[in-house]
Amino acid sequence: MAVKFPLASSIDAWKEAKDLVQVPRSRVWLVSVLGAGVGITESIFLAIIASVGVAIAGKHGGQVKLAGFGAISGISVPVLLGIGVALGAVTMVASFLIQIELARINTRTMAEMRRELYDEFTKTSWPAMRGEVESALITYIINHVPRVSNMLTSIVSQLTAFITLVIFLAFALIVAPLVAIAIIVLGVVLYFIFLPMRGIAAKSGEDSKVATRVLFMSFADSVAASREIKTYGVGEPVRQRISREIDDLERPQYRLRLVQGFLPILYQRAVFMILLAGLGIVYAVHLKDLGSIGAALLIVLRAMQQAQLVQSAEPSIAEARPWIAELVNRRDRYRANAFVFGTNTLDAVEEIEFENVSYRYEVEGGEAPLALDNVSFKAHRGELIGVIGPSGSGKSTLTELILRLDKPHTGTYRINGRDTWEFSEESWTEQIVLVPQFSHLIAASVEENIRFLREGITRDAVEDSAVKAHLTEEILELDHGFETLIGERGHRGLSGGQRQRLSIARAIVRPPSLIVLDEPTSALDHKAEDVIVETIERLREHALVIVVAHRLSTLRHCDRVLVLRDGKREAFCKLDELNNSSEFFREARATNAL
Ligand code: ADP
Ligand code: MG
């Protein structure tokens, strides 16, 4: 096993963490200086205690010979006791200051990492967000970030303990060189005896990380699929698998806890042995200066406590260290996938154009077929465009590209004749909105759900949009009308139709010039659908409306229809021309699939 300087792995971990969060150097210096101060004042304090003890025992007739400090000997006991009190107070204040700094390092780095990781997540592109396991980010921000800030705090307190330790040993050397040297030699031997424990801690830390990740994925999956797991009656196998994975995590954590628990015990016993050895030396070589020997033993006792702090920090550092790379990877992935938009303002969408647009999803291990294959079309404000095609033909992909949620792999997407990437994000999101197939409610009032966190939307506008979305009557029937609290799990929900109409109200409350609806009626019965189709039809007064449709009733009002098949454009024409130009349409009509 490679022999390493005691703090070597901490220094490596510290360097790795620098990429995530910076602890100001001034803070580390301050803590180090305070640690040195504590070492010095406490050493003198202990020397005074030993000397006063010996003096009181009557050896020097009331005059104190200060252990190791011949030059300032001859001070009276009361004066020394006074100095002792003052030094004790100084040590206490310095120790408090160290704790204040440690607390600040801990909470600051935690807050900074949390903010940064979340910021990068919000700025990353939709494909990167979509690829994320639900609640993974939450686990990283809530659980794994504190691991790293606790580790940084441990390293700084380890450093402080190390500095104090060195100073204690230096004082011991001054006060009673022979005893100190013997003890340092024993300390080094101890360090090597404990070395294998560090190896166990490092390996267990890595194993523990891997097992945590596996367990997380299983939990996330099984919670998300909990309804299916119940209805298919597969709770037992899922429980068994998760139980095995819990065991896999238990083993490395058990080893880590053992190392953590054993180290202090071993240290304490070792310290007692060292003290006995020190006394043995004193006895063997007939040392007479009891004040010095007493002081040296006291200081060494404290030095060993510091050594214990230095070494017992190792297992928790080893446990946290593997998570640094995890956090760095995640942040870098978010960062690398962020899109950069231009600064031009999009005042209103007058015309959109796809020119030979192709798109391919990235899948692990191999190449997915083109989800969109060389699609071209143009549409104008005031039109209602229907998009149809078999399942998997690329309709949802098309809507996401129209919304600029991802980039075409080849081809160009223009709005008002300009490349869409030139437009600023703010003006884009004001003009272009999506009504998704399944929209998400936030835990807030109906009013806030329609406003959806955007500023400058008045209550009047909210009520107006509810009228347009045919939602008002049902809202007013709720217990608290627009103030009724709704949300996803754990809150009052809404029916599928109400939810879709709320989603439409949300989309039109700040009038956009391009509205994209992805199968807005797919989860609805015919009556609920009629209301929505009527609403959609009226939207085109001020906007271009593109609606992915799966029923003829939606198509009836469309000015033109785009038919997709295997990602290709099969037709783009008026409704009455569809029969001639689209095979899919003919087949669908014949089988009543539309
Ligand atoms: P539609 O909305 O018309 O049913 P989609 O646009 O959702 O079709 O899908 C088009 C094609 O892309 C399908 O072959 C589908 O399997 C594939 N696809 C959709 N989403 C993903 C994804 N996240 N990763 C990989 N392939 C995908
Ligand atoms: Mg779809």
Side-chain angles (χ1 to χ4, degrees):
M1 189 186 305
V3 176
K4 277 183 150 184
F5 176 69
L7 294 177
S9 57
S10 301
I11 292 169
D12 290 345
W14 183 271
K15 283 187 192 151
E16 282 170 26
K18 264 193 170 174
D19 189 12
L20 271 182
V21 66
Q22 300 268 357
V23 181
R25 253 165 204 240
S26 53
R27 282 242 144 90
V28 180
W29 275 111
L30 181 58
V31 177
S32 308
V33 169
L34 287 168
V38 168
I40 294 168
T41 46
E42 202 177 315
S43 296
I44 300 174
F45 179 79
L46 294 173
I48 288 175
I49 288 185
S51 311
V52 170
V54 173
I56 290 172
K59 285 257 164 185
H60 301 279
Q63 278 289 304
V64 179
K65 186 172 170 298
L66 185 53
F69 299 91
I72 49 165
S73 287
I75 305 169
S76 69
V77 169
V79 173
L80 268 187
L81 287 180
I83 295 175
V85 170
L87 286 176
V90 170
T91 317
M92 190 177 77
V93 170
S95 303
F96 274 139
L97 289 176
I98 290 175
Q99 291 310 317
I100 290 171
E101 284 304 306
L102 288 177
R104 189 156 289 157
I105 288 172
N106 188 274
T107 53
R108 276 278 151 84
T109 54
M110 207 182 296
E112 268 179 40
M113 281 188 281
R114 283 183 167 151
R115 227 186 319 270
E116 195 195 13
L117 195 57
Y118 185 68
D119 282 357
E120 298 290 348
F121 173 74
T122 57
K123 286 184 210 152
T124 199
S125 67
W126 168 241
M129 286 180 173
R130 180 181 57 203
E132 179 101 354
V133 176
E134 222 177 323
S135 73
L137 177 68
I138 304 170
T139 320
Y140 273 76
I141 290 183
I142 303 292
N143 287 340
H144 305 332
V145 160
R147 291 177 197 267
V148 175
S149 29
N150 291 341
M151 184 201 78
L152 291 173
T153 319
S154 292
I155 293 177
V156 177
S157 53
Q158 199 189 26
L159 176 70
T160 324
F162 185 74
I163 290 171
T164 318
L165 162 70
V166 170
I167 287 176
F168 280 153
L169 290 178
F171 264 87
L173 273 173
I174 297 172
V175 173
L178 197 58
V179 178
I181 288 171
I183 284 165
I184 290 172
V185 170
L186 281 172
V188 172
V189 171
L190 268 187
Y191 172 75
F192 283 107
I193 291 174
F194 293 157
L195 215 49
M197 291 230 179
R198 306 172 72 192
I200 296 174
K203 164 129 197 346
S204 306
E206 179 62 30
D207 291 351
S208 172
K209 181 203 78 176
V210 172
T212 302
R213 274 178 29 180
V214 170
L215 188 58
F216 165 78
M217 291 298 269
S218 298
F219 274 138
D221 235 10
S222 74
V223 172
S226 47
R227 183 165 55 186
E228 282 83 346
I229 289 173
K230 222 173 215 348
T231 52
Y232 283 101
V234 290
E236 191 49 36
V238 172
R239 254 195 307 282
Q240 278 171 11
R241 195 188 69 209
I242 287 188
S243 163
R244 262 197 312 278
E245 289 168 0
I246 290 176
D247 288 342
D248 290 344
L249 177 57
E250 187 191 349
R251 279 186 294 272
Q253 292 201 321
Y254 173 66
R255 284 197 298 270
L256 271 168
R257 297 291 99 84
L258 275 190
V259 174
Q260 254 164 0
F262 279 3
L263 273 179
I265 297 175
L266 287 170
Y267 256 95
Q268 280 152 17
R269 301 309 118 180
V271 168
F272 292 153
M273 293 303 131
I274 286 177
L275 283 177
L276 289 178
L279 287 173
I281 293 170
V282 173
Y283 176 73
V285 299
H286 303 290
L287 284 176
K288 292 278 154 29
D289 185 357
L290 288 185
S292 299
I293 293 160
L297 290 180
L298 278 180
I299 293 171
V300 163
L301 203 62
R302 287 286 289 133
M304 294 312 288
Q305 276 176 357
Q306 299 300 316
Q308 184 192 322
L309 288 180
V310 171
Q311 199 141 108
S312 61
E314 299 261 332
S316 49
I317 293 170
E319 188 176 10
R321 190 170 161 189
W323 292 98
I324 301 171
E326 292 284 316
L327 286 164
V328 169
N329 288 345
R330 189 158 284 264
R331 184 205 56 194
D332 288 353
R333 198 174 67 230
Y334 293 153
R335 202 175 270 176
N337 286 297
F339 289 155
V340 180
F341 301 109
T343 51
N344 289 340
T345 303
L346 176 62
D347 293 321
V349 175
E350 301 298 340
E351 178 198 82
I352 81 167
E353 179 184 11
F354 265 45
E355 190 182 275
N356 304 326
V357 167
S358 293
Y359 183 85
R360 193 192 297 282
Y361 285 97
E362 276 168 28
V363 290
E364 268 175 55
E367 198 158 79
L370 284 174
L372 283 182
D373 189 351
N374 217 26
V375 173
S376 300
F377 74 94
K378 247 187 200 184
H380 302 92
R381 194 168 179 184
E383 280 191 294
L384 176 54
I385 305 286
V387 180
I388 58 171
S391 172
S393 59
K395 304 182 294 294
S396 293
T397 309
L398 182 87
T399 63
E400 297 201 337
L401 290 191
I402 291 175
L403 281 143
R404 210 172 62 166
L405 287 172
D406 204 352
K407 293 182 177 179
H409 285 194
T410 55
T412 322
Y413 171 24
R414 290 192 201 87
I415 282 188
N416 305 345
R418 307 184 76 144
D419 194 313
T420 46
W421 297 91
E422 291 176 15
F423 296 113
S424 74
E425 197 168 18
E426 301 75 50
S427 65
W428 180 275
T429 51
E430 273 190 30
Q431 293 301 325
I432 300 173
V433 295
L434 169 73
V435 176
Q437 201 166 355
F438 306 101
S439 53
H440 196 90
L441 301 177
I442 52 173
S445 65
V446 172
E447 180 181 354
E448 289 306 326
N449 262 284
I450 292 177
R451 191 173 278 134
F452 203 68
L453 311 168
R454 291 162 293 183
E455 278 170 18
I457 292 173
T458 61
R459 169 69 178 234
D460 282 349
V462 169
E463 289 184 10
D464 191 40
S465 72
V467 170
K468 286 187 181 135
H470 294 276
L471 194 61
T472 311
E473 232 170 80
E474 282 147 283
I475 293 176
L476 294 179
E477 274 169 18
L478 298 172
D479 287 345
H480 305 284
F482 279 90
E483 275 73 46
T484 309
L485 289 178
I486 54 173
E488 299 294 338
R489 293 182 173 194
H491 294 88
R492 187 197 199 289
L494 293 178
S495 78
Q498 290 168 336
R499 185 186 277 259
Q500 266 327 23
R501 277 175 284 138
L502 187 142
S503 178
I504 291 176
R506 186 186 275 176
I508 61 176
V509 65
R510 192 168 62 180
S513 48
L514 170 56
I515 308 172
V516 181
L517 304 101
D518 188 1
E519 304 207 26
T521 59
S522 62
L524 307 184
D525 57 45
H526 282 283
K527 193 158 163 284
E529 187 189 1
D530 286 346
V531 178
I532 290 192
V533 169
E534 194 191 322
T535 308
I536 293 171
E537 207 230 316
R538 286 211 218 117
L539 294 178
R540 78 178 124 183
E541 273 172 43
H542 305 286
L544 165 60
V545 184
I546 297 178
V547 54
V548 175
H550 70 302
R551 287 198 196 135
L552 199 58
S553 55
T554 316
L555 282 187
R556 250 198 330 261
H557 305 281
C558 289
D559 299 300
R560 287 189 288 168
V561 178
L562 174 66
V563 187
L564 289 178
R565 220 163 177 190
D566 294 330
K568 293 190 190 65
R569 166 179 151 173
E570 188 187 65
F572 184 45
C573 58
K574 294 213 170 80
L575 189 62
D576 51 21
E577 296 162 7
L578 266 184
N579 236 333
N580 289 331
S581 39
S582 169
E583 193 191 331
F584 164 73
F585 183 78
R586 281 194 300 274
E587 281 170 10
R589 289 302 313 274
T591 56
N592 275 329
L594 258 177

